[in-house]
Amino acid sequence: MARFTKSQCRPCPVRTRCTTTADSARTVGFPPRELRDLQLRVRAEQQTPDWKTRYAVRSGVEGTINEFAHGHGMRHCRYRGQPKAHLQHVLTAIAVNIERLNGLPPAEETPSPRPPTAFHAFLDQHGISRSKSWRTLGS
């Protein structure tokens, strides 16, 4: 940690870009060299095509987890105990897979990036417009 006093910070010509604290002083933290080297190496690796390919898989999984959490209420279990909670997760996963399989186009067509959920299919069948985000429904 490096701490600068008011008398050190005030005469600095770039103080306004550096700090907005009320006392016009600045505290700067420097990570250990090993951690800084690790950060630089990881950030450089994140720019490679191989890393971006691996991350694309993860982003697909993140979408599935989001669907479980927001679309199927998986943030909270209905049952107590690990065996029953596990059973709820497995049955919900089976239901989501059935929903996705039901929405797949025939084999000769190219599949869409992500099939619509059962709720989206219901809205489409009844001619109800879908909003881009469920968060905008109440506004």
Side-chain angles (χ1 to χ4, degrees), residues 24-44:
S24 298
R26 172 80 184 214
T27 302
V28 181
F30 299 98
R33 182 175 300 278
E34 299 83 26
L35 180 57
R36 178 70 179 146
D37 292 343
L38 177 64
Q39 285 177 334
L40 292 174
R41 192 167 10 104
V42 168
R43 287 177 184 158

Side-chain angles (χ1 to χ4, degrees), residues 98-100 102-104 114-130:
I98 290 172
E99 287 176 350
R100 287 182 175 182
N102 185 34
L104 288 177
R114 184 167 189 175
T117 63
F119 180 67
H120 287 151
F122 174 82
L123 293 176
D124 293 343
Q125 288 172 355
H126 291 83
I128 301 171
S129 64
R130 301 191 235 168

Side-chain angles (χ1 to χ4, degrees), residues 7-30:
S7 61
Q8 291 171 322
C9 281
R10 282 206 177 119
C12 180
V14 291
R15 181 176 57 86
T16 56
R17 294 189 332 206
C18 183
T19 183
T20 58
T21 61
D23 63 354
S24 298
R26 172 80 184 214
T27 302
V28 181
F30 299 98

Side-chain angles (χ1 to χ4, degrees), residues 2-105:
R3 299 180 195 279
F4 299 94
T5 63
K6 289 182 195 180
S7 61
Q8 291 171 322
C9 281
R10 282 206 177 119
C12 180
V14 291
R15 181 176 57 86
T16 56
R17 294 189 332 206
C18 183
T19 183
T20 58
T21 61
D23 63 354
S24 298
R26 172 80 184 214
T27 302
V28 181
F30 299 98
R33 182 175 300 278
E34 299 83 26
L35 180 57
R36 178 70 179 146
D37 292 343
L38 177 64
Q39 285 177 334
L40 292 174
R41 192 167 10 104
V42 168
R43 287 177 184 158
E45 182 186 345
Q46 290 175 351
Q47 303 307 315
T48 63
D50 182 45
W51 186 89
K52 290 180 180 182
T53 303
R54 286 194 328 261
Y55 190 77
V57 173
R58 178 181 172 174
S59 67
V61 172
E62 294 283 344
T64 301
I65 291 170
N66 185 45
E67 180 182 351
F68 272 84
H70 294 148
H72 300 282
M74 294 303 291
R75 290 215 185 272
H76 304 283
C77 289
R78 295 175 183 229
Y79 309 105
R80 289 185 181 204
Q82 191 172 3
K84 291 185 217 173
H86 176 69
L87 180 63
Q88 177 187 350
H89 295 154
V90 170
L91 292 175
T92 304
I94 291 170
V96 168
N97 286 335
I98 290 172
E99 287 176 350
R100 287 182 175 182
L101 288 173
N102 185 34
L104 288 177

